[in-house]
Amino acid sequence: MSTSEATVINPLPSPLQGTAHVPGDKSISHRAVLFSAMAEGISRLEGMLDSEDVQSSIAAVRALGAQVDLQKQPDGSLAGTVTGWGAAGPRQPEGPIDCGNSGTTARLLMGIVAPWPITVEITGDASLQKRPMRRITAPLMKMGARFEPAGQELLPMTELGSANLKAITYDAPMASAQLKTAVLLAGVFADGTTTLNEPAPSRNHTELMLPDYGVPTTAGTRVAAVTGPAAMHSCDLRVPGDPSSAAFLACAALLKPGSRLAIEDVSLNPARIGFARTLERMGADIATSHKGQDGKEPFGTIEVAYTERLRGCEVPPQHIASLVDEIPVLALVAAHARGVTVFREVGELRVKETDRLAAVVDGLAKLGVDAWEEGDDLCIEGNPDLVVPDGLVLDSQGDHRLAMTWALLGLTGTKPVAVGHFESVAVSYPRFLDDMKELCA
């Protein structure tokens, strides 16, 4: 990819200073739209993320009969109402439901459709059509849903729901909040108690949110369960800031000399802020402070300042689920640290929007940083004297997390960096570049 085909990211003119706010949490925004669509009555939502992924969930529930009236607010968020289909169930859509680039939309939609006698073709963009779906369809088929073509691993596929869904106990092969949520959402309308056991903890937004919609939920460290059939009712919900988006501002402040930021109103769900704990272990000047609760979701402030000396560390497998989306930007921080950083058992990165494991290794190699895969482990030997080469061009491959990661090289350094397919940041953080520039104005 040539520089002319990429977005040139220039160094910020001064340190990042002051108070920052990030867009609403993407995971919670998806669930707020989807759960409200399933519920009886009118849910009132605020602080919702306005991004391409969340718009995919909005379009999906509209196609299934929900009424969505979410309006853009002055701060860029969405607020308004969702009127759900409730006990009547979703309607038969007129055509395929295109989930765009959103794996969350596609996978959770499978659980939503499973208990109803409708037939839905689910598809997505070229990237989403490469992501594995068997992990979702396998347990749903045990419950009574069907998928065509039989044995299909990838989208597009057609789901045939069943009004006689049965509850199951399922031992998940991996820690995945999307898998867990799909099974639990199907279980809400199945007959009996549906239980999902995980090998390690994953994000628990679903377990925290379902009781607000009238569904009693058992939530343990590695187990979650619902008993159906249950009636879902509407609720009012405020979405806190997205910690995954906050991670990019935090890492930028760590790497840009003289920076000091307070990122306010961010979700501090322990299942989501593993990146902050990892940065602490690397010696970063970072701290979190709890301010309150949005429903059962804790929120507060992340304070972070430029840290001259960082050290490598090992991130064990049981911590990966709490920071899996932040591994690319943490790898960039590790590239600036002294010593070796190892992320254990991160093979899941190979089946994200792109092969993030290979992309991180290749990108860091262009910086002259030694990074390699050992089985499913990612290893990085940092260089505190890292110098960005002239004319560096890095391709995000249309992956929003990689686009923001490579952009930090230009923003926090002394030389411009060209990032291919930078527009993919619209998937989760459309105002990323504008926010960065405003923080050093």
Side-chain angles (χ1 to χ4, degrees):
M1 171 170 284
S2 67
T3 303
S4 62
E5 298 173 305
T7 300
V8 177
I9 308 295
N10 292 305
L12 293 170
S14 59
L16 297 158
Q17 295 286 347
T19 300
H21 292 85
V22 292
D25 185 87
K26 184 157 74 83
S27 295
I28 298 175
S29 294
H30 276 299
R31 286 161 175 78
V33 168
L34 297 170
F35 296 3
S36 297
M38 298 168 68
E40 195 81 49
I42 302 173
S43 296
R44 291 169 175 80
L45 311 176
E46 60 178 298
M48 296 279 293
L49 172 65
D50 185 12
S51 75
E52 290 180 357
D53 269 14
V54 175
Q55 289 292 344
S56 290
S57 283
I58 291 171
V61 298
R62 279 180 172 151
L64 292 170
Q67 298 176 33
V68 183
D69 183 16
L70 294 172
Q71 303 297 323
K72 191 93 162 184
Q73 303 301 300
D75 64 358
S77 69
L78 296 175
T81 61
V82 177
T83 304
W85 52 71
R91 72 185 179 198
Q92 175 65 45
E94 295 178 358
I97 294 181
D98 187 346
C99 300
N101 189 242
S102 179
T104 301
T105 304
R107 289 167 172 161
L108 271 57
L109 189 63
M110 291 176 180
I112 291 170
V113 168
W116 302 100
I118 58 175
T119 299
V120 180
E121 182 181 345
I122 301 172
T123 189
D125 68 9
S127 172
L128 187 57
Q129 290 185 26
K130 297 176 182 177
R131 299 181 68 180
M133 296 295 160
R134 182 73 180 175
R135 60 182 63 181
I136 310 297
T137 61
L140 294 180
M141 286 190 291
K142 290 178 180 292
M143 299 177 79
R146 290 192 294 130
F147 294 86
E148 296 177 350
Q152 179 91 342
E153 168 68 30
L154 305 175
L155 297 179
M157 64 176 65
T158 298
E159 180 174 8
L160 294 82
S162 169
N164 299 308
L165 218 62
K166 62 182 181 181
I168 61 169
T169 296
Y170 188 70
D171 295 328
M174 73 283 291
S176 165
Q178 293 177 357
L179 187 165
K180 175 173 61 178
T181 300
V183 172
L184 291 179
L185 293 183
V188 169
F189 298 99
D191 187 15
T193 298
T194 294
T195 303
L196 186 131
N197 300 306
E198 295 187 290
S202 66
R203 296 180 183 184
N204 62 349
H205 299 303
T206 295
E207 299 95 300
L208 294 178
M209 292 173 67
L210 278 178
D212 290 337
Y213 286 88
V215 181
T217 307
T218 300
T221 302
R222 293 187 294 115
V223 62
V226 295
T227 299
M232 294 183 68
H233 61 63
S234 60
C235 81
D236 296 345
L237 187 71
R238 177 183 175 274
V239 179
D242 193 319
S244 294
S245 295
F248 290 92
L249 299 190
C251 291
L254 283 180
L255 299 176
K256 183 70 173 177
S259 297
R260 181 173 292 276
L261 282 183
I263 311 168
E264 296 185 338
D265 299 326
V266 180
S267 169
L268 296 183
N269 185 316
R272 295 294 305 283
I273 57 170
F275 78 89
R277 304 286 84 87
T278 297
L279 292 173
E280 284 178 350
R281 294 179 60 207
M282 297 177 78
D285 184 353
I286 186 170
T288 59
S289 55
H290 182 270
K291 300 296 183 184
Q293 302 272 134
D294 284 324
K296 293 184 178 67
E297 292 281 352
F299 71 89
T301 301
I302 300 174
E303 295 182 273
V304 59
Y306 170 69
T307 305
E308 185 175 5
R309 293 181 178 84
L310 296 164
R311 59 180 177 270
C313 72
E314 181 173 332
V315 184
Q318 64 268 29
H319 293 171
I320 294 301
S322 69
L323 51 77
V324 65
D325 284 340
E326 294 77 58
I327 288 176
V329 74
L330 290 173
L332 181 62
V333 174
H336 290 79
R338 185 175 301 281
V340 175
T341 297
V342 181
F343 298 93
R344 297 290 185 193
E345 296 185 22
V346 293
E348 182 69 11
L349 294 181
R350 296 191 177 100
V351 292
K352 290 291 187 178
E353 283 83 339
T354 188
D355 183 344
R356 288 181 181 167
L357 197 52
V360 166
V361 170
D362 292 346
L364 295 184
K366 292 185 177 182
L367 295 173
V369 173
D370 287 333
W372 63 96
E373 302 173 40
E374 287 187 358
D376 285 339
D377 297 344
L378 171 62
C379 307
I380 300 157
E381 185 170 359
N383 178 8
D385 301 316
L386 176 65
V387 176
V388 176
D390 292 325
L392 181 63
V393 181
L394 293 166
D395 188 3
S396 73
Q397 302 177 52
D399 187 315
H400 56 126
R401 307 288 185 199
L402 290 172
M404 290 186 283
T405 296
W406 301 141
L408 288 194
L409 275 170
L411 292 166
T412 65
T414 59
K415 298 174 184 176
V417 172
V419 180
H421 301 100
F422 179 75
E423 67 280 357
S424 61
V425 299
V427 164
S428 63
Y429 197 164
R431 283 186 47 83
F432 169 69
L433 206 54
D434 292 335
D435 284 359
M436 294 290 287
K437 292 175 180 177
E438 288 177 6
L439 288 167
C440 62

